Amino acid sequence: MAGERHGLVGVIGSDLIRNAKIPLILLVAVVTSAIGVVTITHKTRLLTVEKDRQVIQMNAENIEWRNLILEENALSAHTRIESIAIDKLHMQRIDSEKENIVITQ
């Protein structure tokens, strides 16, 4: 036995396994917990960035929708339709004497 040589890593490893099981288990638990915290934090940050991007997109779409409503109201204004009917289609209001009312049964 006097001539045997043991590696330092082997001696420390076997000593930890024989005499320090609870600290070794706690070390593994702490490292696992730290990796979990880093992973969850990273995923949370990614989701926060995605949520912010979605909110910005929603606001842009709301602004576009409001502009489309305003455009629809402007294009469907009675005076505009009447001026297009008179100018482009050469329509005119009919006199009440020329009106014919058709009644169907």
Side-chain angles (χ1 to χ4, degrees):
M1 276 196 100
E4 286 184 37
R5 294 196 68 189
H6 298 285
L8 181 61
V9 175
V11 170
I12 292 173
S14 64
D15 188 41
L16 281 175
I17 291 174
R18 267 188 263 129
N19 300 325
K21 290 181 182 172
I22 291 178
L24 190 61
I25 291 171
L26 290 176
L27 177 67
V28 170
V30 166
V31 170
T32 305
S33 174
I35 291 172
V37 166
V38 169
T39 304
I40 295 297
T41 302
H42 178 67
K43 288 181 180 179
T44 302
R45 286 181 181 161
L46 289 177
L47 288 174
T48 302
V49 167
E50 177 67 20
K51 183 191 81 117
D52 290 343
R53 190 186 64 75
Q54 296 269 336
V55 166
I56 290 170
Q57 182 181 358
M58 183 182 70
N59 288 339
E61 288 174 355
N62 279 338
I63 290 170
E64 183 181 357
W65 179 72
R66 288 184 193 124
N67 288 338
L68 288 173
I69 294 293
L70 289 173
E71 184 179 354
E72 179 186 30
N73 289 338
L75 292 176
S76 65
H78 181 70
T79 55
R80 180 180 177 277
I81 294 174
E82 187 176 359
S83 67
I84 289 173
I86 292 171
D87 296 339
K88 292 185 180 179
L89 300 176
H90 306 293
M91 297 176 93
Q92 56 186 345
R93 290 197 175 269
I94 192 163
D95 295 332
S96 57
E97 299 90 39
K98 295 179 182 178
E99 274 185 28
N100 289 330
I101 299 176
V102 178
I103 301 174
T104 61
Q105 293 186 15

